[in-house]
Amino acid sequence: MMNYRITLLPGDGIGPEIMAVAVDVLKVVGHQFNLNFEFQEAPIGGVAIDTTGEPLPTETLEMCRNSNAVLLAAIGGYKWDNLPRHQRPETGLLGLRAGLGLFANLRPAKILPQLIDASTLKRDIVEGVDIMVVRELTGGVYFGTPKGVFATETGEKRGVNTMAYSESEIDRIARVGFQTAQKRGGKLCSVDKANVLEVSQLWRDRITLLAPEYPDVQLSHLYIDNAAMQLVRWPKQFDTIVTGNLFGDILSDAAAMLTGSIGMLPSASLGNSGPGVFEPVHGSAPDIAGQDKANPLAQVLSVAMMLRYALEQPVVADKIEQAVLQVLDQGYRTGDIMSEGMKLLGCQEMGEVLLKTLSS
Ligand code: IPM
Ligand code: MG
């Protein structure tokens, strides 16, 4: 019997609802595959602010460190939007990423045949899309200094952030990009703004320098504005994309939408060692929180990524991914992916049909 300690961070909004489904799924596959999951739950984001005054309590980070993997749902909500930055839910998430050294964020955007009609783009544009965005997650303008809002000599305020990358930061994410491309379609597109930004020029130079080490990967470069356009114009040209923190944030939302709903996409955040964090790409959706309307499938697919990347249980991961496809094949949909003739389910009901499928 394999033992795994999993830290659960349900967070805010729809977080607890979708996490409940994910935990049920883990219990079922644990039983089937003889895996023992020891769950420990901790607060992060708004719920942590309410109970402890901080978005990332030290105990939460410690619990994460003392586990085999971290499963996170979502953080944030209107209630905490006007707090000072150090007390915002988002600051807790950034602290978790930095605290665990999770510099590599893998965000797959694969269109499922069952959901082609849920995409806002035409069928022939999105059919067959299978992209992996490798986003740098602990550097760039999200973390660069100086940062802050400063008073100038005239008394006018000035807001400052700094986009900075060192060579070693670029190299390590570039390597993840190349290696990811090697395991996929062998194509890597690096996205930057080297026509304007010095930091991007260094980014491009380092990636180009590493390319000969990966002769089996076909490397290309795009500027971020062009990449955004190409992503909606002809997404099938992309296999693996590697990019910095801010550009990756933006492109991964756009890539997600190609697949019909951001409610379907999981992600993995990994460091060089220690536990990774597995979470849906979507946010806490405060507008539908507590209404049993959320789509739990991105959370469930994040469980599959956790099993694949952190716990080395690819067979179990496959089984969960297959079950998700089967549920869609049977015509079950949550509101975000609903289309004509399909059966509309709430979050809990979606969980139930998934468990049934997993057990059959
Ligand atoms: C994401 C989110 C976060 C980010 C926010 C919530 C801090 O948008 O994971 O993409 O910007 O990284
Ligand atoms: Mg984002």
Side-chain angles (χ1 to χ4, degrees):
M1 165 99 67
M2 292 295 289
N3 275 298
Y4 299 111
R5 188 184 295 161
I6 310 294
T7 302
L8 304 175
L9 307 175
D12 308 316
I14 59 170
E17 301 166 52
I18 57 176
M19 185 62 91
V21 174
V23 169
D24 283 345
V25 165
L26 273 169
K27 284 183 183 155
V28 168
V29 294
H31 194 72
Q32 290 172 337
F33 291 87
N34 212 17
L35 313 174
N36 183 44
F37 296 107
E38 184 195 321
F39 298 111
Q40 50 183 29
E41 196 175 309
I44 188 172
V47 54
I49 297 169
D50 287 350
T51 51
T52 71
E54 291 172 75
L56 179 66
T58 321
E59 301 79 58
T60 295
L61 187 56
E62 270 318 300
M63 271 165 93
C64 291
R65 287 202 175 109
N66 287 316
S67 55
N68 296 102
V70 179
L71 193 60
L72 168 68
I75 52 107
Y78 314 126
K79 184 178 170 191
W80 307 282
D81 275 351
N82 294 316
L83 290 171
R85 177 136 330 264
H86 70 276
Q87 282 182 342
R88 294 271 295 262
E90 290 78 3
T91 306
L93 182 57
L94 298 184
L96 181 70
R97 291 170 178 171
L100 296 177
L102 308 173
F103 67 89
N105 185 211
L106 307 185
R107 298 190 160 184
K110 185 173 179 174
I111 181 118
L112 303 177
Q114 295 90 340
L115 295 184
I116 288 180
D117 294 323
S119 178
T120 48
L121 297 186
K122 295 194 188 95
R123 173 175 282 267
D124 66 312
I125 305 277
V126 293
E127 198 162 34
V129 161
D130 182 353
I131 299 171
M132 178 71 89
V133 179
V134 177
R135 169 189 177 193
E136 199 290 326
L137 204 58
T138 52
V141 70
Y142 273 57
F143 291 93
T145 50
K147 65 182 324 180
V149 177
F150 305 103
T152 63
E153 280 167 13
T154 62
E156 187 189 19
K157 283 185 193 156
R158 188 158 178 271
V160 178
N161 288 93
T162 303
M163 191 185 277
Y165 274 115
S166 61
E167 291 176 322
S168 56
E169 281 177 305
I170 299 168
D171 291 2
R172 65 181 183 177
I173 192 68
R175 290 190 187 285
V176 175
F178 280 112
Q179 286 156 9
T180 305
Q182 276 177 328
K183 288 185 218 135
R184 292 172 41 89
K187 276 169 56 183
L188 181 65
C189 179
S190 170
V191 173
D192 62 40
K193 189 71 185 173
N195 50 343
V196 177
L197 305 175
E198 280 74 11
V199 54
S200 276
Q201 188 59 56
L202 183 66
W203 176 281
R204 189 174 282 222
D205 293 347
R206 293 306 300 187
I207 304 239
T208 307
L209 209 64
L210 289 179
E213 289 181 39
Y214 304 90
D216 48 341
V217 176
Q218 186 195 326
L219 174 67
S220 62
H221 302 272
L222 282 182
Y223 299 134
I224 175 66
D225 49 349
N226 189 14
M229 181 178 77
Q230 296 300 335
L231 208 51
V232 285
R233 189 186 72 89
W234 192 243
K236 271 177 266 193
Q237 67 187 284
F238 294 107
D239 170 39
T240 306
I241 292 175
V242 65
T243 189
N245 207 341
L246 180 62
F247 299 156
D249 179 46
I250 299 167
L251 282 189
S252 60
D253 267 32
M257 202 55 215
L258 299 174
T259 70
S261 171
I262 199 170
M264 291 299 300
L265 296 185
S267 79
S269 304
L270 308 168
N272 271 333
S273 59
V277 172
F278 300 84
E279 60 176 307
V281 170
H282 64 71
S284 59
D287 53 322
I288 57 163
Q291 298 173 31
D292 195 31
K293 285 185 184 163
N295 181 352
L297 295 179
Q299 187 74 58
V300 169
L301 292 170
S302 300
V303 166
M305 276 192 110
M306 177 177 87
L307 286 158
R308 192 181 303 284
Y309 288 93
L311 310 183
E312 288 176 48
Q313 295 287 349
V315 176
V316 190
D318 283 343
K319 167 135 195 189
I320 292 174
E321 286 165 359
Q322 285 309 315
V324 168
L325 294 181
Q326 281 170 30
V327 162
L328 295 172
D329 276 335
Q330 292 160 39
Y332 295 116
R333 300 287 188 273
T334 43
D336 58 313
I337 49 173
M338 185 60 190
S339 59
E340 221 184 293
M342 299 294 143
K343 291 165 243 174
L344 181 65
L345 298 184
C347 180
Q348 264 189 22
E349 289 169 321
M350 186 53 108
E352 282 157 23
V353 295
L354 195 61
L355 293 185
K356 223 198 240 158
T357 306
L358 273 172
S359 310
S360 65

